[in-house]
Amino acid sequence: MIAVLTGGTGGAKFVDGLRQIVPPEELTLIVNTGDDLIWWGLYMSPDLDSIAYVLAGLLSKERGWGVKGDTFYCLQAMGDLGQPIWFHVGDRDLAVHLLRSKLMAEGKTLSEATKEIASRLGVTAKILPMTNSRVESRIGTPVGELSFEEYFVQRWYQDPVQSVHFAGAAEAQPAPGVVDAIMSANAILLAPSNPVTSIGPILAVPGIREALRETQAPVVAVSPIVGGAPVAGPAGILMAAQGLPVSIAGVAQAYRDFLDLLVVDTRDAAAAEKLRETGFHVQCARTVMKTAEDKAQLARAVVALISGASTAPASTD
Ligand code: GDP
């Protein structure tokens, strides 16, 4: 079984590749819930949904979130009723939020609701929220502390970032199955997700980072930083705010205590060579995923690297 720690858009692209080459029953996805929000009174979990949609073949590839071909009649009607509409929710997407909120109002945990939604979408891979507790990524800015979605979607990540913290993390527990998956996996992959606000909240749940350090399985990360910048989004700004260099070295630093191998883009070959000199195992591959074939190719390359990851000497490619 391969366990994958993942967030939203970058994670979903990587998982889209993995699902093309790994049987679904061999995949366990451990998903960030630090972006979760209550919106229109409903419990929304954007990263859990992106992963469920991609595994169900429903994700909108143009937008990178939500359901492909969705309509937005409800969003428009809510706007007409004077409600905030900066967080875009499609009509079919809304049905998932309604079902999750209904299940949770009936007393189901987020894990149980996630399992039911995945099964109703026909997903056979195992999707686990990182925790059933409420852990919220909070971004400190000059205009005040913002939730991740306020910072990212509402305000287009224009505010200078002064701090990042994960409210509720210290009291949280890993969701059922998360630590078991890490301990019993044949390999653990960290998707090229934002290291600070997608992988960071997962690592902040007490017990998860420790399990990554202890597991016998090789832990392999794909860098979301390519050519010294994120492929998309605020990862660079958030890494800098956390005192991490915006480079593959910064990604390695974020995961240094448990990482066996970092997969970086071929265009970072020179930086990879420098990183190897500091003792990290680094391999180069084409990591920018534009087409279905790019995604499958990266997944194939990473899966091929897994077996030698814990013992391989530093690569020279
Ligand atoms: P979010 O919740 O939408 O922020 O989702 P993620 O954290 O999963 O994805 C954002 C990260 O994915 C960003 O840091 C991007 O740099 C990275 N990313 C997006 N597309 C690609 C890609 O094609 N290749 C690589 N290597 N990284 C990518």
Side-chain angles (χ1 to χ4, degrees):
M1 179 267 289
I2 297 177
V4 188
L5 274 59
T6 182
T9 51
K13 284 161 75 179
F14 184 60
V15 171
D16 203 8
L18 282 174
R19 81 181 173 108
Q20 296 180 54
I21 59 153
V22 179
E25 58 280 6
E26 290 295 316
L27 276 179
T28 297
L29 296 309
I30 299 170
V31 181
N32 171 44
T33 60
D35 299 2
D36 291 10
L37 71 163
I38 305 295
W39 181 252
W40 300 341
L42 302 174
Y43 188 102
M44 310 233 164
S45 191
D47 289 1
L48 278 173
D49 289 340
S50 293
I51 295 304
Y53 293 153
V54 81
L55 288 166
L58 289 174
L59 187 78
S60 163
K61 293 199 171 100
E62 295 78 56
R63 282 185 264 114
W65 53 268
V67 176
K68 64 183 172 192
D70 213 348
T71 54
F72 289 84
Y73 292 111
C74 183
L75 185 81
Q76 201 182 339
M78 285 298 266
D80 294 344
L81 290 168
Q83 300 307 299
I85 53 167
W86 57 260
F87 190 74
H88 288 188
V89 178
D91 297 322
R92 292 182 67 197
D93 193 17
L94 182 61
V96 168
H97 307 310
L98 284 166
L99 176 57
R100 177 186 298 111
S101 303
K102 171 180 178 282
L103 294 169
M104 291 176 75
E106 288 167 2
K108 294 244 167 43
T109 62
L110 182 59
S111 293
E112 290 164 342
T114 301
K115 190 174 176 194
E116 174 146 359
I117 291 165
S119 128
R120 293 198 181 271
L121 291 175
V123 173
T124 46
K126 197 184 271 182
I127 306 177
L128 303 175
M130 64 189 198
T131 180
N132 282 329
S133 314
R134 193 77 174 92
V135 172
E136 207 187 338
S137 298
R138 304 288 302 172
I139 316 296
T141 75
V143 296
E145 202 178 87
L146 305 172
S147 71
F148 182 74
E149 299 299 352
E150 286 166 337
Y151 164 73
F152 181 55
V153 181
Q154 184 181 20
R155 299 179 63 85
W156 292 78
Y157 54 101
Q158 297 301 306
D159 303 289
V161 175
Q162 297 166 329
S163 64
V164 179
H165 79 278
F166 308 115
E171 300 81 43
Q173 290 184 335
V178 168
V179 169
D180 279 358
I182 292 171
M183 296 311 289
S184 65
N186 301 110
I188 294 140
L189 305 180
L190 274 67
S193 289
N194 186 324
V196 180
T197 49
S198 288
I199 304 296
I202 306 179
L203 301 178
V205 176
I208 295 187
R209 193 167 199 131
E210 292 75 4
L212 288 166
R213 284 191 204 122
E214 279 169 27
T215 184
Q216 297 298 307
V219 183
V220 179
V222 179
S223 175
I225 302 295
V226 173
V231 176
I237 300 166
L238 293 162
M239 286 174 75
Q242 294 292 77
L244 293 167
V246 185
S247 62
I248 60 164
V251 179
Q253 200 176 319
Y255 305 146
R256 67 188 174 284
D257 52 319
F258 57 78
L259 194 66
D260 294 305
L261 173 67
L262 182 64
V263 179
V264 305
D265 198 77
T266 44
R267 77 187 72 166
D268 288 303
E273 198 48 56
K274 278 200 177 147
L275 193 54
R276 283 184 197 113
E277 286 163 14
T278 68
F280 277 102
H281 289 158
V282 187
Q283 292 274 7
C284 296
R286 283 182 48 206
T287 71
V288 176
M289 297 169 280
K290 292 204 172 111
T291 64
E293 183 44 34
D294 293 341
K295 294 172 191 165
Q297 200 177 18
L298 176 59
R300 249 182 252 121
V302 171
V303 169
L305 287 168
I306 285 171
S307 52
S310 55
T311 50
S315 152
T316 51
D317 66 2

